Amino acid sequence: MISDFLPNGHCASCLRFSAVTALLLYGMACAPVDGLRGYVPEGQGSDEQLAEEGLLPLYDMIKAANLTTREQVMETFGTPSTKSILGNTWYYASTHVQEFMFYRPEIIDQEVVAVSFNQNGGVTSIKQYTLADGYSVTPVERITKTGGQELTIVEQFLGNLGRFDTPPQVLP
């Protein structure tokens, strides 16, 4: 028995305590970790609090702010997550992600708000997109052939023989 090796049996309780502590630490290490990625307005609470409560109603916040110009949107909500190519639409994206051990992160909730502007910088529309609006895109794996002739390695090697002239050496 283990208590035979322990003096006066006092460390038996230490051994039990160590075993329980190790199990608790192991269990905590396997707990899922929530996190927010993307746009989170400043002053809206800590990351842990936001992860527990879910994503902020960003669409509602922008609508309620009653912003009419690009400058007001920038001043109130800061730099957007991304802009459209022409710069007339700004996108604010937030994602609530849960990670569990070594598995891929799972997206719990997602919100993208698109704020469109006219040429004068006035807000023309505000649209909301959620996780349900997204879809998976599968890339096409076709190969575009380039013009020219396909040569084997031997043809390439033999084709280059004699093409490189050595520059004349100038003796001092």
Side-chain angles (χ1 to χ4, degrees), residues 12 15 25 31 49-50 62-63 65 67 99 141 165 169:
L15 186 61
L25 289 175
Q49 179 184 5
L50 292 172
I62 290 177
K63 280 288 217 184
L67 305 175
E99 297 181 59
E141 296 191 18
D165 295 333
Q169 294 181 355

Side-chain angles (χ1 to χ4, degrees), residues 110-166:
Q110 179 173 317
E111 180 183 23
V112 176
V113 176
V115 182
S116 298
F117 304 98
N118 60 20
Q119 297 299 328
N120 298 328
V123 175
T124 57
S125 69
I126 301 172
K127 296 180 183 174
Q128 178 184 31
Y129 303 99
T130 63
L131 190 57
D133 297 319
Y135 55 90
S136 181
V137 177
T138 306
V140 178
E141 296 191 18
R142 291 181 291 197
I143 298 174
T144 304
K145 293 192 176 211
T146 59
Q149 190 176 8
E150 291 187 28
L151 301 174
T152 65
I153 188 79
V154 175
E155 290 174 328
Q156 290 177 13
F157 180 72
L158 293 176
N160 284 327
L161 287 178
R163 285 192 176 185
F164 302 105
D165 295 333
T166 55

Side-chain angles (χ1 to χ4, degrees), residues 6 13 18 32 44 52-53 57 66 77 79 81 85 91 93 97 104 111 113 118 143-144:
L6 302 173
S13 61
S18 298
Q44 297 296 319
E52 287 177 13
E53 297 172 2
N66 198 19
F77 294 101
T79 305
S81 302
I85 295 173
Y91 298 95
V97 179
R104 284 188 171 177
E111 180 183 23
V113 176
N118 60 20
I143 298 174
T144 304

Side-chain angles (χ1 to χ4, degrees), residues 32-35 37 96-100 103-108:
V33 177
D34 285 355
R37 297 181 180 169
H96 179 196
V97 179
Q98 189 174 62
E99 297 181 59
F100 183 70
Y103 297 108
R104 284 188 171 177
E106 179 183 354
I107 297 175
I108 304 299

